[in-house]
């Protein structure tokens, strides 16, 4: 019979499998399936019902989380279908409840979202009615009155609805019939009713069969055998005051707590009327371990712990037996309901693993799915959740004790890379119970911070003539971001240095920021240049920042002094000078003038008499190069003297040059300057041309100087009201737009060669430098054009000039008015003759706004 029942069950499963239903109520997806489906059976197309494409199933990690604890369902990642993952037994899940619904949470990520679906588990008739015992023994005296009822054991059927227990039937006999009684718990109790007097002598033993039937299709059943012994005396049964008692007890009741006192009476006398109490023969072990009964007094006592969450009620069968022969018994039932108390703290359950939150995530981004549950009931099971203060998160209710942990404010990974969100769950019991849970939320980085250099600009001082490929400097930048967003690569932005790409001069290691030279540098050609270094991270999109590296080339003593006077000596031949034999001690014979292309100490020049025909006759000034007589010329001195003068700089190592001066002593040569002027008046075509050139040059310079002073005077008068210093306004030079400019001043006041030189021009360009050299002691008045020279940093020139010419008296005054316009390249100089009565003065002003002035006219 059991085999037939199993076959019918599987037939029912087969047909139910083909009639799966699903519906959507109030926006919530609900499926309906029968219990006991095979593993892998399709419940419904979950992805389609939620509006998800097939690509999103894998990318967004579609999955289900069961609130029942066990994972009965899963998602087919290929099709997006919800399939049965494990055996589903409705009776194990929902017991005798009329409705059995499994709530599921469907979780998708990127972004994190949750959907609630329900799966209704429909009952199938997979359980037959069953009696706890296969045999019921009754002892009935033959003198019992007709109509007497004898309660029988009820059958149990785990199925519900139409598949549950419906009725009982009794095997055909002439003494007993079957009737039913409704118990307080809603169940039907079968009772055996005596219909015909018993006669022990005719039939001392009766055997009946009780059958329990359910309402399924097909109908299933269970049976129990009833054996009745007919007794010949003791014809009164113990009788309880009620057939069924109902009591309640709090679940925190302690051992020994009194439950109820049961009383049964027997109309017989003597031993036949004495009653003892006991549990029914079919009492479950859980009742026997939890309660005990006093067999004399009938008091029911608690002997074990109660737990409302495990057993909400107990049905206890009590039997009262007399001591007669044969024994007669009576039965009653006690229904004990357990009252819930708040003995369970609420529990916080993570439905999904916390999802990392991007630091630029908008408010409302879901980072975790949380559910709260409490095993208690009523107010004791109502749970509220609360977050810790000062947290950029909040809880958003979704459905029935389910919440979403969402962002409520801005996140900054650079300040907090991880949050430990503390959630407190509190129930509504009295007193309330609570629990806490820490949920770690990791904040992932986005590329929101550009690399930052350790300083906005760098000054690098590099000696000239360095080895190509040597390291100049190492810049460093840091990025507050993380991972790829913090990986930095360095590069040099393209720019021009003397019309050549900067990449021809230097290159940079992209990993560590080390800058290397491509070749050696020459201070005399390039004194300063700039490098724009960019640091870029590897984020998407990448961020960058720039820093300026100022490279200053430091001068090395790599240039020997060059003799520019006597000019003939500079060309490699002897310099011939004349002097009167009547010259006294201290007589100025000539002056050697040299220049050094280096700067600073490397350009400080000293003069020394290395060799002489008569070393006792001449001396050379160490600093000015003036050649003078040490004593008066005697008649014994040779008329032709030869001097070898060594010119040295102050660098390390020392560089030097030599010049040879040939001096011819003549009688009657008294006034060299007068003789020179007389020569200039002699009718000579060559001297006439030179004189004309000199006159034109001096006239041009004089006119330029006068105009300069007039313009300067007008500007000073106009601006004197607002400023105590003479300056220029920006409007004076609105026509100039190039901001790169520099100045160079060269001043010489030593000996008979006296000139001042002012240069102006772009910082990286070359301007023309003209020098006019005159010597009253030379045979001819020479006009020399010196090759163009590079400009240099103005402050450096001033410092070098100041250190190089300690005997010159001049001042520098500068008021920077505007840096938006350039200086016009200009050049002005003045030649002065030797003599105590010669005076020179010159003022120079640049469009840059600087004013350079020499002191008032004074003897040079």
């Amino acid at each position: 019979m059991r085999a037939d029942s199993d076959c019918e069950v599987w037939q029912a499963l087969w047909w139910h499998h083909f009639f799966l239903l699903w519906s959507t109520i109030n926006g919530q997806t609900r499926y309906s399936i029968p219990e006991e489906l095979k593993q892998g059976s399709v419940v419904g197309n979950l992805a389609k019902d939620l509006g998800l494409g097939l690509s999103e199933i894998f990318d967004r990690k579609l999955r289900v989380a069961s609130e029942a604890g066990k994972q009965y369902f899963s998602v087919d990642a290929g099709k997006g279908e919800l399939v049965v993952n494990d055996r589903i037994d409705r009776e194990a899940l929902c017991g005798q409840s009329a409705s059995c619904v499994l709530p599921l949470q469907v979780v998708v990520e990127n972004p994190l979202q949750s959907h609630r679906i329900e799966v209704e588990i429909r009952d199938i008739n997979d359980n037959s009615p069953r009696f706890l015992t296969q045999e019921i023994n009754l002892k009935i005296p033959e003198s019992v009155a007709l109509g007497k009822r004898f309660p029988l054991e009820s059958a149990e059927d785990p199925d519900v609805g139409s598949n549950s227990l419906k009725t009982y039937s009794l095997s055909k006999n002439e003494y007993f019939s079957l009737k039913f009684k409704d118990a307080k718990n809603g169940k039907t109790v079968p009772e055996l009713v005596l219909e015909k007097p018993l006669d022990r002598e005719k039939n001392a033993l009766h055997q009946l069969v009780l059958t329990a039937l359910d309402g399924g299709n097909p109908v299933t059943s269970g049976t129990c055998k009833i054996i009745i012994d007919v007794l010949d005396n003791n014809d009164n049964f113990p009788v309880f005051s009620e057939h069924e008692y109902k009591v309640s007890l709090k679940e925190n009741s302690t051992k020994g707590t009194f439950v109820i006192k049961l009383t049964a009476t027997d109309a017989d006398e003597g031993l036949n009327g004495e009653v003892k109490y006991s549990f029914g023969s079919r009492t479950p072990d859980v009742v026997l371990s939890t309660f005990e009964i006093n067999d004399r007094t009938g008091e029911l006592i608690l002997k074990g712990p109660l737990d409302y969450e495990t057993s909400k009620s107990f049905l206890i069968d009590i039997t009262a037996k007399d001591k007669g022969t044969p024994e007669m018994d009576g039965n009653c039932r006690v229904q004990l309901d357990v009252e819930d108390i708040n003995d369970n703290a609420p529990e916080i359950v993570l439905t999904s693993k916390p999802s990392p939150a991007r630091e630029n995530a908008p408010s409302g981004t879901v980072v975790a799915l949380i559910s709260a549950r409490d095993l208690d009931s009523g107010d004791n099971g109502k749970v509220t959740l609360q977050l810790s203060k000062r947290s950029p998160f909040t809880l958003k209710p979704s459905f029935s004790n389910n919440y979403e942990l969402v962002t409520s404010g801005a996140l900054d990974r650079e300040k907090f890379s991880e949050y430990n969100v503390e959630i407190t769950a509190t129930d509504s019991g009295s007193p309330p119970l609570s629990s806490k849970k820490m949920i770690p939320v990791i904040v992932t980085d986005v590329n929101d911070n550009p690399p930052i250099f350790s300083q906005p600009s760098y000054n690098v001082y590099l000696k000239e003539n360095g080895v190509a490929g040597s390291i100049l400097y190492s810049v460093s930048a840091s990025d507050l971001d993380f991972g790829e967003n913090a990986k930095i690569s360095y590069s040099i932005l393209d720019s021009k240095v003397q019309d050549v790409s900067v990449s021809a001069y230097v290159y940079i290691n992209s990993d560590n920021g080390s800058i290397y030279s491509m070749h050696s540098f020459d201070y005399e050609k390039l004194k300063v240049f700039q490098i724009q270094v960019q640091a870029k991270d590897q984020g998407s999109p990448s961020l960058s920042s720039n820093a300026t590296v100022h490279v200053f080339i430091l001068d090395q003593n790599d240039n020997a002094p060059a003799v520019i006077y006597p000019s003939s000596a500079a060309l490699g031949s002897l310099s011939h000078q004349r002097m009167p034999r009547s010259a006294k001690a201290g007589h100025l014979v000539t002056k050697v003038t040299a220049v050094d292309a280096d700067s600073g100490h490397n350009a400080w020049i000293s003069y020394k008499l290395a060799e002489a025909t008569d070393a006792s006759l001449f001396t050379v000034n160490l600093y000015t190069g003036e050649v003078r007589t040490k004593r008066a010329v005697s008649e014994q001195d040779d008329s032709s003297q030869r001097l070898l003068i060594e010119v040295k700089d102050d660098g390390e190592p020392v560089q030097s040059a030599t010049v040879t001066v040939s001096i011819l002593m003549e009688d009657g040569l008294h006034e060299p300057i007068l003789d020179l002027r007389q020569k200039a008046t002699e009718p000579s075509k060559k001297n006439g041309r030179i004189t004309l050139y000199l006159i034109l040059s001096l006239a041009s310079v004089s006119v330029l100087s006068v105009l300069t002073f007039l313009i300067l005077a007008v500007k000073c008068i106009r601006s004197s009201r607002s400023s105590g210093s003479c300056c220029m306004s920006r409007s004076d030079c609105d026509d100039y737009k190039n901001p790169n400019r520099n100045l160079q001043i060269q001043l010489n006041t030593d000996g008979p060669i006296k000139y001042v030189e002012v240069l102006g021009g772009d910082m990286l360009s070359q301007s023309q430098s003209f020098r006019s050299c005159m010597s009253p002691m030379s045979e001819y008045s020479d006009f020399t054009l010196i090759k163009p020279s590079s400009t240099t940093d103005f402050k450096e020139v001033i410092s070098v000039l100041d250190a190089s010419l300690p005997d010159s008296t001049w001042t520098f005054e500068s008021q920077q008015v505007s840096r938006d316009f350039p200086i016009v390249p200009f050049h002005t100089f003045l030649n002065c003759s030797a003599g105590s009565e010669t005076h020179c003065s010159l003022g120079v002003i640049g469009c840059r706004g600087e004013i350079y002035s020499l002191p008032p006219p004074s003897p040079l």
Side-chain angles (χ1 to χ4, degrees), residues 51-91:
L52 299 176
L54 291 179
S55 61
E56 293 180 284
I57 298 173
F58 179 79
D59 295 339
R60 300 191 64 184
K61 300 179 181 179
L62 176 65
R63 63 185 187 275
V64 294
S66 173
E67 296 179 11
K70 194 172 182 180
Q71 197 71 23
Y72 291 101
F73 302 96
S74 61
V75 177
D76 185 340
K79 300 178 181 179
E81 295 174 333
L82 184 67
V83 297
V84 176
N85 190 55
D86 202 351
R87 175 177 177 267
I88 301 175
D89 185 358
R90 185 192 184 282
E91 290 73 38

Side-chain angles (χ1 to χ4, degrees), residues 441-461:
V441 178
I442 298 175
V443 181
T444 59
D445 185 54
V446 297
N447 195 27
D448 57 348
N449 291 282
I452 299 176
F453 282 94
S454 57
Q455 55 193 75
S457 63
Y458 301 84
N459 292 333
V460 179
Y461 299 93

Side-chain angles (χ1 to χ4, degrees), residues 240-374:
F240 287 94
S241 57
E242 295 182 29
H243 288 291
E244 187 171 340
Y245 299 87
K246 189 171 184 179
V247 295
S248 62
L249 201 63
K250 291 184 180 296
E251 66 172 322
N252 63 341
S253 300
T254 59
K255 182 180 179 180
T257 300
F258 171 79
V259 180
I260 190 174
K261 183 176 181 179
L262 303 172
T263 301
T265 58
D266 193 315
D268 293 328
E269 295 180 353
L271 293 177
N272 293 337
E274 292 184 9
V275 178
K276 62 180 180 179
Y277 303 90
S278 64
F279 291 110
S281 60
R282 294 173 296 277
T283 301
D285 292 338
V286 64
V287 175
L288 295 177
S289 62
T290 307
F291 303 95
E292 63 182 358
I293 189 169
N294 190 308
D295 61 348
R296 291 184 300 102
T297 62
E299 291 181 348
L300 187 63
I301 306 298
L302 180 67
K303 76 170 186 178
L306 297 177
D307 187 358
Y308 174 86
E309 290 72 38
T310 302
S311 300
K312 295 177 174 57
S313 65
F314 294 91
L315 292 176
I316 307 172
D317 292 326
I318 304 297
T319 300
K321 293 182 180 181
D322 61 22
K323 298 181 180 180
T325 302
E327 290 181 339
M328 304 295 287
D329 58 26
N331 299 280
C332 74
R333 173 170 286 181
V334 177
Q335 179 178 335
L336 186 147
D337 295 326
V338 180
E339 295 181 4
D340 182 45
I341 64 168
N342 194 24
D343 60 342
N344 290 283
E347 182 182 5
I348 302 172
V349 180
L350 272 176
T351 307
S352 71
K353 184 179 178 181
S355 177
R358 291 172 61 87
E359 61 177 323
N360 64 343
S363 295
T365 301
V366 181
V367 297
L369 301 177
I370 300 167
S371 63
R373 61 189 181 192
D374 194 316

Side-chain angles (χ1 to χ4, degrees), residues 715-728 813 815 817 851:
K715 298 299 181 180
C716 287
I717 292 173
R718 289 181 179 179
S719 60
S720 60
R721 296 179 182 179
S722 60
S723 174
S725 61
C726 187
C727 63
M728 291 183 66
E813 179 181 10
Q815 180 177 357
V817 178
I851 299 170

